[in-house]
């Protein structure tokens, strides 16, 4: 009998089911669990209250990223509650025997940057973390998704999690990307097209020639923002680009083990006739450099377009939300964003803080200088990336341009630590969310690609990066 | 090992607070700067902080939680409630504030899981029924809404309207009896260990 064709998602899912009872959620085995200081303390408290240990300590890795300062990381954290939260992670990891890459450790960094960087993230795995951007790891052909703290406790206690099987969705992007168009523009384009709920209940696979031609780092940017369209996660089938990226990393298999792993990884792709619950086809040549104008990631447009107006909205609820967003942003429908003055530029976050991002930014800003009164933060995703930036001399280019170099952390992406955008100020950001108050109370965010942000950092006004590329 | 018993939830009869906004993200429910606590309690204090208070800490009179006439254990909310960050603190904040159910025409996945794990019932209704609920509450803020977990119905007796809602059978048992997912998983340890043995030579497990 012919086997039913399956998608990549279904293959990995099926392979990780420990137990499945009718009407009950699946008990799904988790290969790698990443934790950080903000969403783990209550889970450890749960274990203590139950009087149990972490079930598989070698499958959990911890780092400090959300609630840490990005200057003076070698000194005690000034703010008391942050200091206590970070100390709590240290204590819990010591007590329960979990590897921690804390402040000052050479492997420290944003949780979704260090997983791939260290080779923890490998094709075919299930990976979870108490952070919605866990979808990043899907770029390696994994099932990776964000979870709540009760679920963090489930994984610590049993290395398994209760999950309902999501539906599958294929987003196929074929064609050649135009000048100045990056993977960030691809994902902002998709989200603008299908809304912040367009992927809810689904696990997305990205495919097509435009995806296959991307580097691993660019693929991670796309998978990272899957959650911004509501998707449970996003994934890309592994290929030679994936294998080359993993080879030689600290947690990558070596020697004979590598050969065995590679043979398995090569089987990880959707069957030709596999059926997805939903499909979306996109012509890569239709994508241009993108920017958001509103207060959710789906409120985005091509950078040369004008902001929509109330008349473009479908119903009264949407008009109400649009008015609210425009009031918050201090913008007007029907106007362009090109030329809009910005006060801050944030070059960081788990979406775009990898070495390739900084190389592309350096190309744009080399030999140029930011205008007076503009603040530009460069916040690399990990301590290793900080070192690499220095090794390649990119830090000199940034410092000469008047940018501020910081240490690794989530920084101004989420307005939790000291790095915040002041009320009413405009920030062009390489991060993932433009929600009200996301970058600080009253902060106004434009999401864009690293090179669009770089061009804007040089002019102080929202700029079309294509004018900066020969 | 201690068995964790949670609050049992079988029926909610309450007035509701109407929040018409769509795409309410978890950063609005509880902003990141209030996520520094290491316990589950007290987050209700800062729920919808920047919609409820101005930067000086004065209540914004137009926000619905500051309307003196609106109160209750049910939050009525617009489409796609709870999108964005996975922070369970959003569910904790809603529970801590006193909500037992959120009613919307659509919920984001992670929020829905988090709510169910905290006995905060996410009740998904049709967009038309949601509009009827908003209308009933706007017409009379004392309108009582009845949510019956066992029968899986939500109704407004004074308006003689009712609708059925879905809830996963497993989660229904948990919520009605106060059962806990971790206890269930711990009971499956032999199966989990067996699974690990079987996959010992499997490279996706290394």
């Amino acid at each position: 009998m012919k086997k039913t064709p399956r998608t990549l998602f279904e293959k990995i899912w099926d392979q990780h089911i420990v137990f499945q009872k009718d009407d009950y959620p699946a008990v799904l085995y988790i290969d790698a669990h990443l934790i950080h200081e903000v969403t783990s303390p209550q889970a450890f408290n749960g274990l203590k209250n139950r009087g149990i240990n972490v079930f598989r300590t070698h499958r959990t890795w911890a780092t400090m990223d959300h609630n840490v300062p990005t200057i003076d990381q070698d000194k005690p954290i000034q703010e008391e509650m942050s200091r206590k939260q970070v100390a709590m992670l240290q204590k819990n990891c010591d007590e329960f025997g979990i590897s921690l890459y804390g402040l000052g450790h050479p492997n420290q960094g944003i949780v979704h940057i260090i997983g791939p960087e260290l080779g923890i993230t490998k094709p075919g795995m299930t990976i979870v973390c108490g952070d919605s951007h866990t979808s990043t790891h899907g770029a390696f052909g994994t099932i990776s998704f964000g979870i709540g703290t009760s679920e963090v406790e489930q994984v610590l206690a049993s290395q398994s999690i209760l999950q309902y099987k999501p539906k599958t969705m294929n987003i196929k992007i074929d064609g050649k990307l135009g000048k100045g168009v990056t993977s960030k523009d691809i994902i902002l384009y998709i989200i603008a097209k299908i809304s912040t709920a367009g992927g809810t209940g689904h696990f997305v696979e990205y495919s097509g020639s435009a995806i296959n031609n991307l580097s691993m780092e660019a693929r991670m940017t796309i998978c990272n923002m899957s959650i911004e369209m509501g998707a449970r996660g996003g994934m890309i089938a592994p290929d030679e680009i994936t294998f080359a990226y993993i080879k030689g990393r600290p947690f990558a298999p070596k020697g004979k083990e590598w050969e065995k792993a590679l043979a398995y990884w090569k089987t990880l792709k959707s069957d030709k006739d596999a059926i997805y619950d939903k499909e979306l086809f996109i012509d890569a040549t239709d994508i241009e450099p993108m920017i958001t104008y509103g207060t959710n990631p789906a409120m985005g447009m091509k950078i040369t377009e004008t902001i929509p107006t109330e008349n473009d909205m479908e119903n009264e609820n949407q008009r109400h939300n649009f008015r609210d967003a425009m009031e918050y942003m201090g913008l007007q429908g029907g106007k362009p964003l090109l030329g809009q003055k910005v006060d801050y530029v944030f070059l960081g976050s788990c979406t775009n803080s990898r070495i390739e991002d900084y190389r592309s930014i350096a190309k744009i800003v080399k030999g140029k200088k930011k205008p007076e009164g503009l603040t530009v933060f460069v916040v690399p995703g990990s301590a290793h990336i900080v070192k690499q930036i220095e090794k390649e001399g990119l830090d000199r280019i940034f410092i000469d341009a008047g940018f501020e170099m910081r240490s690794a952390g989530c920084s101004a992406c989420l307005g939790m630590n000291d790095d915040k955008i002041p009320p009413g100020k405009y920030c062009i950001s390489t991060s993932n969310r433009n929600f009200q108050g996301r970058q600080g109370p009253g902060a106004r965010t434009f999401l864009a690609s690293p090179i669009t942000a770089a061009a804007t950092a040089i002019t102080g006004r929202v700029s079309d990066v294509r004018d900066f590329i020969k | 090992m201690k068995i964790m018993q949670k609050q049992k939830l079988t029926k909610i009869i309450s007035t509701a607070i109407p929040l018409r906004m769509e795409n309410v993200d978890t950063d609005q429910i509880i902003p990141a700067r209030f996520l520094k606590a290491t316990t589950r309690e007290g987050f209700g204090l800062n729920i919808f902080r920047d919609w409820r208070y101005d930067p000086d800490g004065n209540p914004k009179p137009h926000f619905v939680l500051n309307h003196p006439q609106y109160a209750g254990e049910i939050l009525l909310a617009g489409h796609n409630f709870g999108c964005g960050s996975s922070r369970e603190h959003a569910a904790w904040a809603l529970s801590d504030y006193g909500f037992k159910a959120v009613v919307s025409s659509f919920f984001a996945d992670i929020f829905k899981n988090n709510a169910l794990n905290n006995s905060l019932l996410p009740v998904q209704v049709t967009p038309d029924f949601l509009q009827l609920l908003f209308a009933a509450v706007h017409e009379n803020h004392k309108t009582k809404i009845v949510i019956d977990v066992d029968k899986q119905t939500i109704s407004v007796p004074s308006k003689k309207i009712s609708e059925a809602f879905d809830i996963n059978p497993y989660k229904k048992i948990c919520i009605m009896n106060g059962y806990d997912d971790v206890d269930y998983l711990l009971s499956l340890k032999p199966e989990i260990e067996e699974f690990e043995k079987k996959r010992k030579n499997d490279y996706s497990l290394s």
Side-chain angles (χ1 to χ4, degrees):
Chain A
M1 208 178 81
K2 212 177 153 231
K3 266 194 176 169
T4 315
R6 289 182 301 166
T7 63
L8 173 60
F9 173 81
E10 288 163 329
K11 288 180 188 181
I12 301 174
W13 176 273
D14 291 349
Q15 209 208 11
H16 286 81
I17 293 179
V18 175
F19 186 75
Q20 173 97 63
K21 200 162 134 185
D22 282 350
D23 283 344
Y24 273 56
V27 177
L28 197 71
Y29 195 80
I30 297 303
D31 295 323
H33 182 207
L34 305 168
I35 61 170
H36 60 84
E37 71 278 20
V38 181
T39 59
S40 66
Q42 295 85 352
F44 282 111
N45 288 347
L47 297 189
K48 286 177 203 165
N49 291 339
R50 291 171 205 274
I52 58 171
N53 284 319
V54 172
F55 182 55
R56 294 291 179 244
T57 49
H58 66 286
R59 291 193 179 279
T60 294
W61 286 264
T63 189
M64 296 168 178
D65 56 2
H66 283 65
N67 196 7
V68 301
T70 56
I71 43 171
D72 296 332
Q73 283 188 344
D74 53 335
K75 299 197 179 78
I77 297 174
Q78 295 267 321
E79 210 261 328
E80 192 193 350
M81 282 189 79
S82 301
R83 188 171 65 245
K84 279 189 177 160
Q85 193 175 52
V86 162
M88 181 73 87
L89 181 66
Q90 178 78 56
K91 189 167 166 277
N92 283 329
C93 288
D94 289 348
E95 228 173 284
F96 286 92
I98 288 168
S99 304
L100 168 67
Y101 305 135
L103 290 183
H105 192 286
N107 291 346
Q108 180 267 339
I110 305 175
V111 65
H112 309 307
I113 301 287
I114 69 167
E117 183 176 81
L118 298 173
I120 294 169
T121 306
K122 291 180 277 282
M125 284 179 125
T126 48
I127 303 177
V128 295
C129 171
D131 187 284
S132 61
H133 294 109
T134 309
S135 55
T136 312
H137 308 266
F140 292 79
T142 67
I143 293 183
S144 300
F145 51 92
I147 57 176
T149 299
S150 293
E151 294 170 312
V152 171
E153 189 179 337
Q154 291 178 28
V155 180
L156 290 174
S158 69
Q159 205 53 47
S160 304
I161 192 169
L162 295 178
Q163 285 293 303
Y164 304 103
K165 191 177 179 178
K167 292 180 177 152
T168 56
M169 179 172 177
N170 182 23
I171 301 182
K172 193 163 185 258
I173 307 132
D174 278 319
K176 201 171 172 291
L177 293 175
K179 186 167 107 171
V181 179
T182 70
S183 67
K184 180 66 163 284
D185 302 301
I186 298 178
I187 191 66
L188 286 174
Y189 177 93
I190 295 169
I191 299 164
K193 214 176 171 80
I194 71 170
S195 90
T196 54
T200 305
H202 291 75
F203 213 98
V204 175
E205 182 176 343
Y206 302 95
S207 62
S209 62
I211 298 293
N212 298 339
N213 290 331
L214 295 173
S215 70
M216 279 320 293
E217 300 198 355
R219 292 179 191 183
M220 283 187 249
T221 300
I222 293 194
C223 289
N224 172 277
M225 288 188 73
S226 302
I227 182 69
E228 309 313 336
M229 56 177 133
R232 205 66 188 88
M235 70 200 307
I236 295 170
D239 60 9
E240 293 302 328
I241 294 174
T242 320
F243 310 144
Y245 179 95
I246 298 169
K247 199 169 187 181
R249 292 187 185 264
F251 289 95
K254 312 242 164 6
K256 263 201 179 138
E257 297 295 300
W258 170 261
E259 295 306 324
K260 280 192 210 168
L262 195 62
Y264 169 64
W265 295 347
K266 284 181 175 172
T267 68
L268 292 171
K269 51 186 154 218
S270 291
D271 293 328
K272 221 179 92 221
D273 303 321
I275 295 163
Y276 298 86
D277 296 300
K278 222 174 179 177
E279 285 196 280
L280 178 69
F281 298 97
I282 287 168
D283 177 357
T285 59
D286 190 43
I287 307 173
E288 283 180 39
M290 298 285 295
I291 191 160
T292 63
Y293 55 83
T295 53
N296 72 51
M299 298 175 92
M301 63 182 190
K302 293 173 182 171
I303 200 157
T304 50
E305 288 179 333
T306 54
I307 300 170
T309 65
E310 274 191 46
N311 297 335
D312 298 316
M313 305 296 135
E314 281 168 21
N315 56 46
E316 185 46 40
N317 275 345
Q318 281 189 11
R319 276 188 285 278
H320 175 82
N321 287 336
F322 178 76
R323 276 195 297 271
D324 188 65
M326 286 299 103
E327 194 192 321
Y328 181 86
M329 292 297 291
L331 297 171
Q332 263 182 4
K335 297 265 171 71
L337 265 188
L338 276 178
Q340 165 72 41
K341 192 172 169 287
V342 301
D343 310 289
Y344 285 78
V345 180
F346 175 57
L347 305 170
S349 90
C350 58
T351 312
N352 283 118
S353 66
R354 301 177 191 87
I355 191 66
E356 285 177 12
D357 296 319
Y358 296 113
R359 286 179 190 143
S360 71
I361 293 166
K363 260 192 197 159
I364 304 283
V365 305
K366 192 175 184 182
K368 301 190 179 77
K369 215 168 164 45
K370 70 161 185 78
E372 282 284 311
L374 178 73
T375 306
V376 184
F377 293 127
V378 179
V379 192
S382 72
H384 284 293
I385 298 170
V386 171
K387 272 195 164 163
Q388 189 61 28
I389 285 174
E390 287 165 1
K391 198 173 143 196
E392 296 181 20
L394 306 181
D395 57 328
R396 277 309 338 156
I397 295 172
F398 297 147
I399 290 163
D400 289 347
F403 298 1
E404 273 183 49
M405 289 299 303
R406 297 294 188 98
S407 301
C410 297
S411 185
C413 172
L414 86 164
M416 172 157 198
N417 48 72
D418 297 340
D419 304 348
K420 291 186 184 76
I421 309 304
K425 297 291 181 192
Y426 289 99
C427 176
I428 189 161
S429 178
T430 63
S431 58
N432 40 57
R433 287 187 177 135
N434 51 350
F435 296 149
Q436 290 186 22
R438 172 76 181 182
Q439 296 197 287
R444 294 160 162 172
T445 305
F446 302 126
L447 300 176
S449 77
I451 52 175
T452 293
T456 303
I458 293 310
T459 59
R461 291 175 183 277
V462 172
S463 299
D464 190 335
V465 68
R466 289 169 293 194
D467 299 338
F468 290 73
I469 307 170
K470 275 171 214 115
Chain B
M1 202 184 83
K2 217 167 104 188
I3 298 291
M4 304 303 277
Q5 180 75 33
K6 289 188 177 173
Q7 211 185 343
K8 296 176 187 178
L9 190 62
T10 50
K11 204 171 203 176
I12 304 163
I13 304 171
S14 171
T15 51
I17 301 182
L19 177 66
R20 266 192 182 272
M21 292 293 291
E22 294 190 347
N23 301 314
V24 172
D25 60 79
T26 53
D27 273 85
Q28 305 316 315
I29 301 171
I30 183 87
R33 61 187 191 280
F34 300 113
L35 307 186
K36 296 178 184 186
T38 53
T39 60
R40 291 175 183 238
E41 293 80 34
F43 291 103
L45 197 65
N46 292 309
I47 191 170
F48 295 116
R49 174 76 200 197
D50 296 330
W51 285 351
R52 261 167 90 201
Y53 299 102
D54 69 15
D56 301 322
N58 305 309
K60 293 181 179 176
H62 295 297
F63 186 59
V64 70
L65 262 61
N66 294 330
H67 278 239
Q69 77 265 35
Y70 291 120
E73 296 174 340
I74 299 171
L75 180 68
L76 293 184
H79 201 73
N80 196 26
F81 186 82
C83 60
S85 158
S86 60
R87 60 189 68 165
E88 193 164 316
H89 310 66
W92 299 335
L94 289 160
S95 285
D96 193 54
Y97 188 78
F99 290 116
K100 290 193 172 146
V102 183
V103 182
S104 173
S105 51
F106 197 82
F107 289 95
D109 290 329
I110 306 179
F111 175 79
K112 200 180 194 171
N113 278 350
N114 288 341
L116 287 166
N117 282 337
N118 288 280
S119 299
L120 173 70
L121 194 66
V123 179
Q124 188 165 325
V125 295
T126 60
D128 288 345
F129 193 77
L130 184 66
Q131 291 317 312
L132 292 178
L133 292 175
F134 272 123
V137 172
H138 280 300
E139 189 189 297
N140 179 3
H141 63 271
K142 288 183 180 157
T143 301
K144 287 258 198 279
I145 296 176
V146 180
I147 298 171
D148 189 318
V149 183
D150 188 31
K151 288 185 182 147
Q152 296 183 216
T153 56
I154 173 167
S155 52
V156 183
S158 65
K159 291 275 169 196
K160 297 195 169 53
I161 54 168
S162 182
E163 194 174 84
F165 63 88
D166 270 344
I167 179 168
N168 177 276
Y170 164 77
K171 271 293 160 195
K172 184 174 169 178
I173 297 170
C174 290
I175 284 198
M176 290 186 67
N177 297 288
Y179 294 162
D180 179 279
D181 282 348
V182 176
D183 288 334
Y184 173 58
L185 283 168
L186 290 174
S187 77
L188 292 173
K189 260 202 178 155
E191 282 84 353
I192 296 167
E193 280 169 351
E194 187 57 33
F195 177 88
E196 287 179 324
K197 258 188 230 152
K198 239 174 33 198
R199 298 190 60 212
K200 218 172 164 194
N201 291 315
D202 198 312
Y203 287 89
S204 65
L205 260 175
S206 57

